[in-house]
């Protein structure tokens, strides 16, 4: 079942929300099985190290990020991507202003509260 307003969404449909680590996110679309979320970072913005049960795939839409997954760190630029298996500790640092588009399976209920 589609839980977002529409099967098709427009960039202006979702509202930006502050994240606990000082960045911004907006839920673009989701079902019970899958969620797409856009994150915006200012230069030097940090997505704290954390883990969750969801499988995550991320696409660097803009900028340059230092990405750490399970203790391994790589620098990724616009057009690059990464996958975080369930339960692995991960986080990012924006080396310049940028955006990530993350997909989670199943959806992140905590992002809807």
């Amino acid at each position: 079942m589609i839980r977002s307003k529409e099967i098709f969404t427009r960039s202006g449909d979702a509202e930006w929300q502050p994240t606990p680590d000082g960045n911004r996110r907006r839920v673009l679309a989701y079902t019970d099985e899958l969620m797409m979320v856009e994150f915006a970072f200012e230069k030097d913005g940090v997505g704290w190290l954390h883990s969750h049960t969801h499988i995550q795939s991320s696409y660097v839409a803009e900028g340059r990020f230092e990405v750490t997954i399970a203790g391994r760190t790589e620098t990724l630029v616009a057009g690059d991507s990464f996958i975080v298996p369930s339960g692995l500790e991960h986080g990012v640092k924006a080396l310049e202003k940028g955006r990530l588009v993350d997909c989670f399976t199943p959806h992140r209920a905590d992002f809807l509260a």
Side-chain angles (χ1 to χ4, degrees):
M1 169 202 295
I2 297 292
R3 298 246 184 184
S4 60
K5 290 189 248 177
E6 301 289 335
I7 291 174
F8 299 101
T9 59
R10 307 278 185 231
S11 62
D13 289 348
E15 293 185 29
W16 288 101
Q17 303 292 323
T19 61
D21 51 17
N23 303 295
R24 296 182 303 143
R25 75 172 169 239
R26 61 181 176 172
V27 174
L28 301 175
Y30 67 98
T31 66
D32 288 340
E33 299 84 11
L34 182 66
M35 174 180 270
M36 185 184 308
V37 182
E38 182 177 16
F39 289 84
F41 295 81
E42 294 300 321
K43 183 181 186 304
D44 297 321
V46 174
W48 297 333
L49 286 173
H50 66 287
S51 66
H52 43 72
T53 60
H54 311 83
I55 299 169
Q56 174 181 334
S57 65
S58 299
Y59 174 77
V60 181
E62 175 184 18
R64 191 165 55 101
F65 289 84
E66 187 174 81
V67 179
T68 301
I69 303 170
R72 179 178 170 191
T73 301
E74 299 273 342
T75 299
L76 301 179
V77 299
D80 293 344
S81 57
F82 59 94
I83 291 180
V84 182
S86 177
L88 290 188
E89 186 175 64
H90 59 285
V92 301
K93 179 180 180 182
L95 301 176
E96 59 191 51
K97 182 178 179 177
R99 292 179 300 115
L100 298 175
V101 177
D102 294 354
C103 293
F104 300 94
T105 183
H107 80 272
R108 296 280 307 257
D110 56 319
F111 286 2
L112 301 174

